[in-house]
Amino acid sequence: MRRKLAAGNWKMNGTSDALAQLTALRNAHPTPGVDILICPPATLISAAVVTAADHPLAIGGQDCHMAQIGAHTGDISAAMLKDAGASYVLTGHSERRTDHNETDEMIRNKTKAAHAEGLIAVVCIGETLKEREAANTLDIIAGQLAGSLPDVLTAENTVIAYEPVWAIGTGKVPTTNQIGEVHDYIRTKLEQRYGAGVGKSIRILYGGSVKGSNADEIFAVSNVDGALVGGASLKAEDFSPIITALENA
Ligand code: PEP
């Protein structure tokens, strides 16, 4: 009932020659059985949309400002992403929370701004290693969900990405039991807040050092509806096996 999503976050990687990876990806998956999203750097969005034309591959932004327009040098609004052809945007990635001191309130407002423009927001949450070691993971997740999600949303305009901060770019991956515990918890929280219909339909991605070699076991975990992938999304040859694993899950 939930359509699976393989999402790639290129972060601050890629100039125009990286578009060849999108071409390779669409050629490798001419009729994908899952949704595919690539979030390239903002400078590549328009060209990526052209490269992905006539293919279900979706293009997204990595962040948006909470305001529609104004004096915010260097920022990008949701309307600008939409205008460039993006259909998704990440909000609250841990690197934004850390590098730019983004708070749950800011992320909630960015998510609302994305929704107002018709973009699908991929709202990222996750605990630090210190928080996990202090057995605070579920409390942190509850707080981030409460603070980062707007009161009004739909399963069509919102995706949750659970990304333990300590697993991002480190090669460390939680056990499947740990992933399952958090995903089940997120599902319960979504159902409590938004009702069973919406709560059961929102997709929940896992993110943090997903690779072709660990994708099968991660995708077998309950309430894992796909992945948000950083490093392994940069090259089509690395991302493609993850897409295939999700198609087969
Ligand atoms: C990410 O950037 O969201 C991420 C999960 O990165 P990686 O796959 O490299 O750990």
Side-chain angles (χ1 to χ4, degrees):
M1 124 188 159
R2 293 184 297 269
R3 193 163 160 84
K4 296 189 165 128
L5 173 62
N9 170 18
W10 283 5
K11 311 191 188 194
M12 198 173 72
N13 297 290
T15 48
S16 34
D17 53 349
L19 296 170
Q21 298 303 322
L22 292 186
T23 306
L25 209 54
R26 58 177 291 169
N27 289 345
H29 301 273
T31 53
V34 298
D35 289 347
I36 306 176
L37 164 67
I38 292 288
C39 299
T43 48
L44 288 181
I45 289 175
S46 294
V49 167
V50 172
T51 306
D54 303 320
H55 186 278
L57 173 56
I59 302 299
Q62 298 176 9
D63 175 53
C64 67
H65 198 276
M66 58 193 94
Q68 276 185 312
I69 191 167
H72 303 289
T73 302
D75 279 313
I76 298 174
S77 71
M80 291 168 180
L81 293 175
K82 180 83 178 171
D83 181 57
S87 47
Y88 284 76
V89 62
L90 310 181
T91 59
H93 190 282
S94 77
E95 288 151 15
R96 299 289 313 177
R97 291 178 185 262
T98 304
D99 296 355
H100 298 270
N101 298 316
E102 290 193 2
T103 62
D104 286 331
E105 184 186 10
M106 290 165 72
I107 293 156
R108 183 171 71 248
N109 288 329
K110 286 171 181 236
T111 303
K112 282 187 194 174
H115 290 167
E117 293 301 331
L119 295 175
I120 302 169
V122 180
V123 185
C124 305
I125 57 172
E127 82 287 0
T128 63
L129 186 57
K130 200 168 158 199
E131 289 161 347
R132 175 161 284 276
E133 286 175 347
N136 283 337
T137 297
L138 296 184
D139 287 346
I140 294 295
I141 294 301
Q144 290 179 339
L145 284 173
S148 303
L149 293 179
D151 284 334
V152 178
L153 52 69
T154 69
E156 287 73 41
N157 70 14
T158 307
V159 176
I160 309 295
Y162 168 55
E163 299 203 299
V165 179
W166 52 274
I168 296 177
T170 60
K172 292 182 191 149
V173 182
T175 65
T176 50
N177 280 346
Q178 287 172 323
I179 295 173
E181 179 190 31
V182 177
H183 278 240
D184 289 350
Y185 183 75
I186 293 170
R187 178 71 61 215
T188 302
K189 286 284 172 191
L190 293 174
E191 288 177 23
Q192 284 170 352
R193 183 164 172 192
Y194 299 105
V198 173
K200 280 189 201 307
S201 306
I202 295 175
R203 295 178 288 182
I204 307 174
L205 310 182
Y206 167 77
S209 297
V210 176
K211 302 181 187 61
S213 56
N214 60 21
D216 281 335
E217 60 172 347
I218 292 171
F219 295 150
V221 177
S222 78
N223 282 311
V224 173
D225 302 311
L228 179 55
V229 182
S233 71
L234 294 174
K235 296 263 176 269
E237 66 186 35
D238 295 329
F239 197 40
S240 186
I242 295 172
I243 294 169
T244 303
L246 191 58
E247 287 174 329
N248 294 335

